[in-house]
Amino acid sequence: MKAEVTSAMAQIKFSTMMKEKQLLSFELFPPKTDKGMENLPVTIEHLCEFRPEYISCTYGAGGANVGRNMDVCKMIQNAGTIPVTHFTCIGNTREGIRDQLKMYLDHGIDHMLALRGDLPFGWTGTGGDFKYATDLVAFVRKEFGDKFEIAVGGSPEGHIASRSFETDIAVLKQKQDNGADYVMTQLCWDMEQFKRWLDAIRKAGVTLPVDVGVMPILDEAATINMALSRNACVMPRELCKIISKNWIFPNPFEKDPFDVAAEQKRADFKKAGMEYTIRQIDEYRALGVNGIHLYVLNKWKDVTEIINESGIRTIV
């Protein structure tokens, strides 16, 4: 029965649905261990209780984890919802991209997020045939027509590799012109900046629906790492206050801190961080964004609490 539902749902266009209602979706990553893969169906089952329109799955550089990515996409299908596979330029040739995407289509996976991808440590370029996501979008459209619905990344604070904020918006417009269907944003904790970006892309002629990526704030070290290691994200004063009030000495990255209150601080940070996340979801919903895309971090219990407290989707 679930396979029949998945097949019937495969032709749904999220870009069309977003014009009618605000969607809810989740992001997972393929676990590195066999035990993690064994546990993942339970996580997906709990997430599906909230009837998400789709669940996306990340993708390793050059298809490093393409096998596990495909396995996760199949788990999502088996649970009765639609998988969206991430797909990057890193280490990918034209032939490799063509063959991999044909494989996805053969398995009924026809939704993708087209990305340049984060450069692996030490790399100065993508190491593949395409330098940018704009090239990937154009290639997929040329090779496959409308067989894939294509989401593209959007950076409310500007991509860290972009020459300027204005350049980044121009690139987003180019993705639209090359055939993208909707935008899935990078994490952004600065709501005022998000509003400026949304206004700016609309003025630049970007009409694509915007599905907002929301990174739950659960762990102090992980929050700092996510903000600074790849994304150069601004942490607003309210978020900085949460970090400062619960600072673990000598630092949150220390495996064995000498701070005797470390465990209590971790718990207090998580509680305050979840409240911050819920307030941010409230603001995004009030802005009328087209979708909320929650990064699950493969932890269904925390996301369940956030959804229940925010009231964004109730179980019926």
Side-chain angles (χ1 to χ4, degrees):
M1 179 63 182
K2 286 183 178 179
E4 293 175 4
V5 171
T6 301
S7 176
M9 292 171 63
Q11 300 305 314
I12 286 176
K13 294 287 188 181
F14 302 128
S15 52
T16 300
M17 292 178 65
M18 288 181 198
K19 296 174 183 178
E20 301 170 357
K21 67 175 184 177
Q22 197 172 70
L23 307 191
L24 173 65
S25 57
F26 303 110
E27 177 187 288
L28 298 171
F29 61 85
K32 294 182 179 180
T33 66
D34 292 339
K35 183 65 175 177
M37 289 294 287
E38 291 172 9
N39 293 335
L40 197 56
V42 174
T43 294
I44 295 172
E45 181 179 347
H46 282 286
L47 295 175
C48 283
E49 292 178 356
F50 293 103
R51 307 183 316 282
E53 275 69 34
Y54 71 87
I55 298 176
S56 75
C57 179
T58 62
Y59 173 99
N65 66 352
V66 66
R68 287 187 184 269
N69 171 282
M70 176 63 76
D71 290 341
V72 175
C73 286
K74 289 178 183 177
M75 291 178 192
I76 294 167
Q77 285 179 324
N78 292 336
T81 193
I82 301 175
V84 174
T85 182
H86 292 209
F87 201 89
T88 76
C89 299
I90 307 296
N92 265 326
T93 64
R94 286 177 173 83
E95 285 78 19
I97 292 170
R98 188 184 297 113
D99 291 345
Q100 288 180 60
L101 291 182
K102 282 181 180 177
M103 179 181 65
Y104 280 106
L105 286 176
D106 288 343
H107 286 86
I109 299 164
D110 55 3
H111 294 79
M112 63 181 291
L113 170 61
L115 302 163
R116 185 202 69 170
D118 294 328
L119 299 181
F121 183 74
W123 288 39
T124 57
T126 63
D129 286 344
F130 300 135
K131 291 178 65 176
Y132 305 110
T134 49
D135 303 324
L136 178 59
V137 173
F139 178 79
V140 174
R141 279 287 174 249
K142 179 177 180 293
E143 293 293 320
F144 296 96
D146 292 330
K147 290 182 179 179
F148 281 96
E149 182 171 41
I150 304 176
V152 290
S155 302
E157 296 173 270
H159 194 283
I160 191 171
S162 186
R163 290 186 298 276
S164 68
F165 183 66
E166 291 74 20
T167 300
D168 200 57
I169 293 174
V171 169
L172 183 58
K173 177 63 163 60
Q174 187 179 355
K175 292 177 185 177
Q176 173 178 284
D177 295 343
N178 285 0
D181 291 297
Y182 64 100
V183 179
M184 195 182 298
T185 71
Q186 181 56 272
L187 68 95
C188 177
W189 289 311
D190 185 342
M191 290 304 301
E192 293 307 310
Q193 176 58 31
F194 180 85
K195 294 172 187 176
R196 286 191 289 271
W197 173 80
L198 189 60
D199 182 58
I201 67 169
R202 295 311 185 207
K203 287 180 178 177
V206 177
T207 59
L208 298 176
V210 173
D211 200 3
V212 177
V214 177
M215 175 64 71
I217 297 168
L218 304 171
D219 176 85
E220 193 169 77
T223 298
I224 297 169
N225 185 58
M226 285 301 301
L228 301 179
S229 67
R230 295 281 189 180
N231 304 299
C233 288
V234 169
M235 288 186 282
R237 178 164 174 77
E238 184 182 354
L239 177 53
C240 289
K241 285 170 65 177
I242 295 173
I243 294 172
S244 294
K245 287 180 179 178
N246 298 286
W247 187 263
I248 297 172
F249 293 94
N251 64 71
F253 297 94
E254 186 70 37
K255 290 184 178 180
D256 297 305
F258 60 72
D259 193 332
V260 294
E263 288 305 310
Q264 184 60 51
K265 287 180 177 179
R266 289 191 182 98
D268 291 346
F269 178 88
K270 184 175 181 178
K271 181 176 184 295
M274 292 178 77
E275 291 170 352
Y276 185 98
T277 302
I278 291 166
R279 289 195 299 273
Q280 187 174 38
I281 290 173
D282 290 341
E283 290 189 66
Y284 277 133
R285 293 174 69 191
L287 280 176
V289 298
N290 303 105
I292 300 293
H293 186 59
L294 273 167
Y295 303 130
V296 175
L297 306 174
N298 292 13
K299 299 175 181 178
W300 66 267
K301 291 182 180 179
D302 295 328
V303 170
T304 292
E305 185 174 343
I306 288 170
I307 294 174
N308 285 335
E309 290 300 317
S310 69
I312 190 171
R313 188 68 62 91
T314 53
I315 297 176
V316 178

